[in-house]
Amino acid sequence: VLSLAADQHQLDRSLPLAYGRSYILAQEEATEEEQAVLLTEPQPAPIAVAEAVESTDAPADELQPVRDALAKGRKRLNVVWYFMESASYRETSLAPQNRYDTTPFLKELAAESLVFTNYYTSFAASTRSFISALTGLHTYVDNSANAAKYAMLKVPNLVDMLHQQGYTTGFFASSDTLFDSLDNYLTNRAYDIYMDKNLLPGDERQNVSVGSWGVDEEIMIDHALNWIQSVKDSGKPFYVNYNAVYPHHPFRIPYKHRQLKKMDWGDEDGLKPQYRASLYYADMAVRRFYEGLKRLDLLQETLFIVTSDHGEAFGDLHRKNLIHAEYCYDEDSHLFLILHNPGALGPPLESGRLGSHADLLPTILH
């Protein structure tokens, strides 16, 4: 199967499949492999991965300033993890080749942050990529997207671990977590508050520019910020997962932001221009959350993390590759990881070190 998949999906440029191949080989040999921490000194890539892709590990000393800054701090930070939807690296303003300024705030934030640009989803689908990031493990890769199978897995996960360390924990999603039965997994986690679009008051649930997928970002972001304000003075650190729904297909935009459609997003056939406008709105939402933390005077003591669940495909690079979950080409899988807290992480740094969602849990804990 892997040999056939390699022929179909060009294994030499398909990182998640390479991860899967190395994982299967490791299981056959009954060996355990230590989880990767992006901030530790790079180790040689496993042979199976090295055969599939050219190594892009950064020099061993590239991240030393970050490690030095962290060693000086030794302070527990609040953690806010903003999980964007369908945001391919190549379609953001972080990518030098992108001539459309689709995410001006991400670009502005990255200029003051630790950024990993050679970062990949573990699987190009929302629920499974999130669970991979939450557990530090690679996800199931069969055709079933039903996350109920994860619900009772006895494996460590980030929210439970931080809760045990005294963090007040919250989950907010402008999306519908009933999709793929993600709620079955999340409601077994140690969240002190859990809110998705289904738990909003009826009048707020009507703001559904993206149809049944979710509600406009401003609504849920404000709920999250109000909760953060309520726990700010408790003396306990807090941890927040925010799962966004924009720019989920069909790539619509809230009516009050309809002017975004009139910006120059190209004249290609299909949905690409509409996607870029929706991605711009999604970037505005990230800014709204960040500015809310700034108003609450929390930026200095908060690690603000921005990444995406997966990319998005439009058939322009590979004819049959549409949406995201059917293939694992670069447009489906190549993302970014932004870690923001200059006081804790030191001067801004862009790293080309290879990473994936499975590295996020140990990196945050580090």
Side-chain angles (χ1 to χ4, degrees):
V1 173
L2 284 170
S3 176
L4 177 61
D7 292 336
Q8 291 177 339
H9 301 289
Q10 298 178 11
L11 186 58
D12 61 323
R13 55 177 302 187
S14 178
L15 271 296
L17 190 54
Y19 292 148
R21 181 182 178 202
S22 63
Y23 177 77
I24 291 171
L25 291 175
Q27 291 300 301
E28 289 175 348
E29 297 169 1
T31 61
E32 294 183 0
E33 186 174 338
E34 184 179 356
Q35 288 175 307
V37 180
L38 289 170
L39 298 178
T40 59
E41 292 189 7
Q43 300 299 315
I47 293 176
V49 176
E51 291 175 349
V53 295
E54 182 180 352
S55 173
T56 55
D57 277 343
D61 61 349
E62 180 193 34
L63 294 170
Q64 190 60 49
V66 180
R67 293 191 288 272
D68 292 343
L70 287 171
K72 291 178 181 178
R74 295 300 182 191
K75 177 184 177 182
R76 288 202 303 181
L77 297 172
N78 305 312
V79 178
V80 173
W81 164 10
Y82 195 109
F83 211 44
M84 296 183 74
E85 166 71 35
S86 304
S88 302
Y89 170 75
R90 66 183 302 114
E91 297 295 340
T92 69
S93 302
L94 304 176
Q97 73 273 20
N98 184 16
R99 68 186 185 92
Y100 299 101
D101 195 12
T102 51
T103 59
F105 179 68
L106 287 188
K107 187 175 182 179
E108 178 184 327
L109 185 68
E112 301 176 346
S113 304
L114 170 61
V115 184
F116 293 93
T117 58
N118 200 23
Y119 184 84
Y120 290 78
T121 185
S122 296
F123 190 86
S126 301
T127 54
R128 284 170 279 182
S129 66
F130 179 61
I131 291 175
S132 177
L134 203 63
T135 62
L137 301 173
H138 292 289
T139 180
Y140 292 117
V141 293
D142 59 19
N143 289 331
S144 171
N146 188 346
K149 69 175 73 175
Y150 294 93
M152 302 309 294
L153 286 178
K154 303 298 183 182
V155 297
N157 62 84
L158 185 60
V159 60
D160 291 357
M161 296 168 77
L162 291 180
H163 194 272
Q164 291 168 4
Q165 293 297 320
Y167 278 71
T168 302
T169 54
F171 177 87
F172 297 87
S174 55
S175 56
D176 182 357
T177 61
L178 295 178
F179 179 70
D180 280 0
S181 301
L182 180 61
D183 62 315
N184 284 354
Y185 177 77
L186 295 179
T187 52
N188 282 286
R189 309 281 67 81
Y191 288 112
D192 293 306
I193 184 172
Y194 181 91
M195 180 176 287
D196 76 346
K197 74 109 174 177
N198 300 302
L199 299 174
L200 291 171
D203 59 331
E204 293 184 344
R205 288 201 305 272
Q206 304 309 309
N207 295 272
V208 287
S209 301
V210 287
S212 62
W213 294 111
V215 298
D216 300 350
E217 298 294 355
E218 295 97 325
I219 296 169
M220 192 59 75
I221 286 174
D222 289 349
H223 277 284
L225 290 172
N226 288 338
W227 179 80
I228 290 173
Q229 184 174 22
S230 73
V231 303
K232 173 186 175 183
D233 298 326
S234 68
K236 297 172 62 177
F238 61 82
Y239 165 79
V240 172
N241 282 124
Y242 185 83
N243 282 27
V245 71
Y246 282 85
H248 201 290
H249 64 80
F251 314 125
R252 296 174 184 151
I253 296 174
Y255 182 74
K256 64 181 178 180
H257 297 287
R258 60 192 181 278
Q259 75 279 2
L260 299 180
K261 298 180 181 179
K262 299 179 181 179
M263 298 172 64
D264 178 17
W265 300 120
D267 56 0
E268 296 103 318
D269 293 333
L271 293 172
K272 203 77 172 286
Q274 194 167 320
Y275 166 79
R276 290 172 181 144
S278 186
L279 182 56
Y280 190 94
Y281 167 72
D283 181 74
M284 292 171 58
V286 181
R287 182 188 293 274
R288 185 185 187 92
F289 206 122
Y290 180 86
E291 294 293 342
L293 293 174
K294 184 176 182 179
R295 286 195 307 273
L296 294 173
D297 195 26
L298 287 169
L299 289 180
Q300 294 303 313
E301 53 198 88
T302 301
L303 177 63
F304 188 60
I305 303 166
V306 187
T307 185
S308 177
D309 53 359
H310 52 72
E312 197 74 356
F314 298 88
D316 52 339
L317 298 177
H318 301 92
R319 184 172 58 85
K320 295 182 179 181
N321 189 22
L322 300 169
I323 309 300
H324 48 261
E326 295 300 319
Y327 296 87
C328 50
Y329 288 113
D330 189 82
E331 60 267 32
D332 308 281
S333 308
H334 187 181
L335 310 177
F336 56 89
L337 174 64
I338 298 174
L339 302 171
H340 179 78
N341 186 306
L345 300 176
L349 176 65
E350 180 178 306
S351 173
R353 185 171 182 187
L354 182 64
S356 79
H357 281 338
D359 302 322
L360 191 55
L361 176 146
T363 300
I364 292 175
L365 294 179
H366 182 82

